[in-house]
């Protein structure tokens, strides 16, 4: 297999690369970083780019553009992964995976004071305060703060509050005290110990440890009830109900799952979505979806490694046990990777994957709302990929035959433009040259008539022809295109009776399309329209044929006489019920006698 040529200086650099973990950078002729990568073995990884021709065009283009390289040695592969992620953000190389989401997340902070404050912030300051989060949804953080403030009376003032300041009598009761949102700690109405007991319970909620808190509140309620202190018990019950409602929104699996991280991936094309969830005691306390764009042929395992590195850096997460669909391409000796097959952990993975898919759907819907043409373009691109077309199928035609035991054979042609029906371009055909029920010959006749006319009238040809039928109908269609010299100019596929089976010329093995694919929905719509249009035409033709069949066999009665009779009487049944004089008034006594005798002779037989 051919190798990519490299300069003498680059060859020398590669030859002396160490067999250790590290990060490497490729530069183009202008000295711009065009790719950053990490490796467990630098020499082996870098050499692999140049010792063969790659299947991916983009990888080959990358290798051709490499003029120089540099590298950094690090102790472990994990260090290499972390360094690679930070360098990609710094240089944003053209050929790297593009991480589209790089933002700061909100935290809920409990300040380091005798009477701590609880509020939301996006900045972490090393002052001894405790930060909880980060929360990937600021609305969720606000909801938790609102819950905490409904349950516990914590101060919201910005005044630095020390015990000496309170003893000096500098504090004054504010509106929050009168609204029963604060216990008046600024004037010494509540002790630091009592205030901090509430703060400890708030910390438990923020850690997701609602189970212990609920048990404590339930015990306190029962104790107060036994002491007949019902008003105080009712206050605790209201707190208990609020926490239960908060827990009900976040609990999705068994409480036996203590502390675990989950990565679900949705990978359909170059855009890959990876959802991260952190679960504590059965509750999802953290969730974020990252969007990656492939620049080369990065595998799912590599992308999972990138996602773990990004989450660890941006959210400050230290992984212990991680649920994944497949093991990431990264060495983390202290991390236990779990690939579940059933049970609660499998359900967690399914939820994470569903969130990743939903993120894709939401993104697509947003794009389509802003630009309706985006959806059409996306569907056409998907069809082009599924059917291996050289151009987007803006114009598609679908053919279907219809007959009953060879009688009144017809065919229909429906036209879709930009994945939507173009009904003004629909056509139906009466089969003229085929005798008997021969679907293959009928298909060849129809395609020959259709495209001979389009060519002679210099009208645009479709990018794709869809034939309703298996290999036989497809072969007939290909033969027709060959005879007209159109083979290669128009792509053609056949649909088997099972709709998800698509046949290509010269290939006996069908392509199976995902039942949820938009391509399949368009093909299904095409075939349904072809059936409807063809059956309607066949039914009309058959009805007309049946209506005139009894008159056709009567000698001495021509087409004008038959037309006059059917126009007046509307049907053969009414004509048969009419008397001789009524018929004679319309077509004369001689012909009336012939028609009357023929129709009633049929009845007698």
């Amino acid at each position: 297999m051919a190798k990519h040529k490299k300069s003498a200086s680059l060859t020398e650099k590669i030859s002396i690369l160490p067999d250790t973990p590290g990060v490497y950078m490729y530069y183009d002729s202008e000295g711009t970083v065009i790719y950053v990568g990490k490796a467990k073995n630098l020499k082996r990884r870098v050499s692999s780019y140049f010792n063969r021709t790659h299947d991916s065009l983009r990888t080959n283009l990358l290798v051709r553009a490499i003029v120089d390289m540099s590298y950094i040695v690090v102790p472990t592969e994990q260090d290499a992964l972390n360094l690679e992620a930070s360098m990609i953000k710094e240089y944003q190389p053209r050929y790297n995976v593009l991480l589209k989401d790089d933002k700061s997340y909100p935290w809920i902070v409990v300040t380091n004071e005798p009477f701590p404050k609880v509020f939301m912030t996006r900045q972490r300051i090393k002052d001894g305060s405790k930060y909880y989060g980060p929360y990937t949804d600021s609305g969720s953080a606000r909801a938790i703060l609102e819950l905490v403030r409904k349950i516990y009376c914590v101060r919201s003032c910005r005044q630095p509050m020390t015990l000496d300041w309170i003893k000096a009598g500098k504090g004054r009761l504010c509106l929050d005290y009168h609204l029963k949102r604060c216990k008046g700690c600024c004037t010494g109405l509540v002790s630091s110990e009592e205030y901090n007991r509430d703060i400890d319970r708030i910390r438990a909620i923020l850690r997701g440890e609602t189970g212990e808190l609920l048990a404590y509140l339930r015990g306190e309620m029962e104790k107060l009830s036994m002491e007949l202190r019902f008003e105080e018990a009712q206050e605790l019950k209201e707190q208990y109900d609020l926490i239960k409602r908060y827990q009900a929104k976040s609990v999705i699996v068994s409480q036996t799952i203590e502390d675990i991280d989950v990565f679900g991936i949705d990978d359909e094309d170059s855009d890959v979505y990876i959802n991260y969830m952190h679960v504590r005691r059965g509750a999802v306390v953290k969730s974020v979806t990252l969007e990656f764009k492939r620049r080369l042929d990065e595998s799912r395992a590599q992308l999972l490694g990138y996602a773990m590195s990004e989450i660890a850096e941006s959210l400050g997460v230290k992984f212990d046990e991680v649920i994944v669909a497949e093991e990431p391409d990264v060495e983390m000796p202290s991390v236990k990777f779990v690939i579940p097959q059933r049970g609660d952990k499998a359900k967690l993975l399914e939820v994470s994957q569903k969130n990743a898919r939903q993120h894709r759907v939401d993104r697509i819907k947003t794009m389509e709302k802003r630009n309706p043409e985006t959806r059409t373009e996306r569907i056409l691109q998907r069809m082009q990929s599924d059917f291996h077309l050289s151009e987007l199928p803006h114009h598609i035609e679908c053919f279907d035959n219809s007959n009953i035991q060879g009688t009144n054979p017809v065919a229909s042609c429906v036209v879709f433009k930009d994945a939507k029906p173009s009904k003004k371009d629909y056509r139906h055909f009466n089969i003229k040259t085929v005798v008997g029920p021969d679907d293959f010959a009928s298909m060849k006749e129809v395609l020959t008539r259709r495209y001979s006319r389009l060519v002679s009238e210099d009208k645009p040809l479709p990018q794709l022809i869809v034939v309703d039928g298996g290999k036989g109908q497809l072969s007939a269609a290909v033969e027709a295109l060959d005879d007209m010299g159109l083979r290669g100019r128009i792509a053609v596929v056949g649909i088997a009776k099972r709709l998800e089976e698509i046949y290509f010329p010269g290939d006996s093995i069908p392509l199976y399309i995902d039942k949820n694919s938009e391509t399949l929905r368009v093909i299904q719509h095409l075939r349904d329209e072809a059936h409807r249009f063809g059956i309607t035409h066949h039914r009309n033709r058959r009805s007309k044929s049946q209506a005139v069949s009894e008159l056709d066999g009567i000698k001495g009665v021509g087409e004008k006489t038959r037309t006059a009779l059917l126009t007046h009487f509307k049907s053969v049944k009414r004509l048969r019920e009419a008397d001789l004089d009524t018929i004679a008034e319309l077509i004369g006594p001689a012909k009336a006698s012939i028609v009357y005798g023929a129709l009633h002779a049929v009845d007698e037989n």
Side-chain angles (χ1 to χ4, degrees), residues 341-547:
Q341 302 300 319
R342 62 182 67 85
D344 289 335
K345 291 181 179 179
K347 291 178 183 176
L348 262 182
L349 180 60
E350 184 180 346
V351 169
S352 181
Q353 290 171 335
K354 186 175 181 179
N355 275 274
R357 283 193 296 272
Q358 187 61 46
H359 194 88
R360 178 190 294 276
V361 170
D362 292 345
R363 179 60 61 89
I364 290 172
K365 285 182 178 178
T366 301
M367 292 171 59
E368 290 174 355
K369 191 172 182 180
R370 293 175 181 172
N371 182 7
E373 294 180 0
T374 302
R375 180 175 183 273
T376 299
E377 192 73 11
R378 176 171 51 81
I379 292 173
L380 295 180
Q381 288 175 352
R382 181 61 184 268
M383 294 187 73
Q384 181 184 15
S385 174
D386 286 343
F387 292 134
H388 312 294
L389 305 177
S390 59
E391 55 184 326
L392 293 177
H394 290 284
H395 180 176
I396 308 173
E397 296 190 356
C398 180
F399 293 86
D400 180 37
N401 292 328
S402 181
N403 67 78
I404 296 179
Q405 296 180 344
T407 63
N408 303 307
V410 298
S412 62
C413 168
V414 298
V415 180
F416 273 36
K417 292 185 177 178
D418 289 332
K420 296 177 182 177
S422 179
K423 294 190 177 182
K424 65 183 179 64
D425 296 313
Y426 285 14
R427 296 291 183 270
H428 55 242
F429 300 85
N430 296 327
I431 304 301
K432 298 178 179 179
T433 63
V434 179
V435 178
D438 189 340
D439 282 348
F440 303 157
S442 297
M443 186 64 70
K444 182 178 179 181
E445 176 191 324
V446 171
L447 264 71
T448 301
R449 289 166 57 187
R450 170 68 173 167
Y451 296 114
S452 295
R453 181 165 184 171
L454 289 183
V455 170
S456 65
E457 295 178 355
D458 198 26
K459 291 185 177 179
L461 297 172
Q463 286 84 35
L464 176 65
I465 297 172
V466 179
V467 175
D468 184 17
K471 291 179 283 186
Q473 283 89 343
L474 179 60
S475 297
V478 171
E479 189 177 338
L481 294 177
D482 275 335
D483 293 345
M484 292 181 285
L486 297 178
R487 179 82 178 272
R489 291 178 60 185
I490 310 175
V492 57
V493 297
I495 315 172
K497 293 300 180 184
R498 294 176 60 190
L499 187 60
E500 65 271 15
E501 291 184 357
I502 308 295
Y503 284 92
F504 291 86
D507 191 349
S508 61
I509 300 175
L511 168 72
Y512 291 90
I513 298 181
D514 182 4
K515 291 183 179 180
N516 297 318
S517 166
E518 289 180 315
T519 296
L520 193 61
R521 285 198 287 270
V522 173
I523 294 299
Q524 185 174 15
H525 193 184
L526 266 167
R527 191 166 82 165
D528 289 346
E529 276 292 277
H531 279 179
R532 180 194 62 78
F533 191 62
I535 289 172
T536 300
H537 175 56
H538 182 261
R539 186 179 295 122
N540 292 339
R541 188 167 180 235
R542 190 174 70 247
S543 298
K544 183 178 179 182
S545 173
Q546 290 172 346

Side-chain angles (χ1 to χ4, degrees), residues 147-148 151-152 197-221 236 239-240 242-244 246-247 281:
L147 168 70
V148 165
I151 299 173
Y152 301 106
R197 279 198 292 271
D198 286 346
I199 292 295
D200 288 340
R201 293 165 190 164
I202 290 171
R203 287 193 175 105
I205 293 175
L206 296 177
R207 288 195 300 266
E209 298 172 359
T210 56
E212 293 177 8
L213 179 58
L214 288 171
Y216 168 78
L217 290 175
R218 190 173 186 85
E220 287 295 304
M221 278 192 295
L236 288 183
Q239 296 177 12
Y240 181 90
L242 282 170
I243 296 172
K244 284 289 286 185
Y246 166 66
Q247 184 190 47
R281 301 191 182 184

Side-chain angles (χ1 to χ4, degrees), residues 23-60:
V23 173
Y24 55 92
M25 291 168 286
Y26 291 145
Y27 302 85
D28 63 11
S29 58
E30 297 179 356
T32 303
V33 177
I34 57 175
Y35 186 76
V36 175
K38 56 93 179 170
K40 186 191 304 184
N41 185 313
L42 277 169
K43 187 170 187 176
R44 188 183 306 158
R45 178 59 178 153
V46 173
S47 298
S48 69
Y49 282 90
F50 300 93
N51 59 16
R52 62 190 176 91
T53 301
H54 300 272
D55 295 333
S56 167
L57 175 61
R58 290 188 67 87
T59 306
N60 288 320

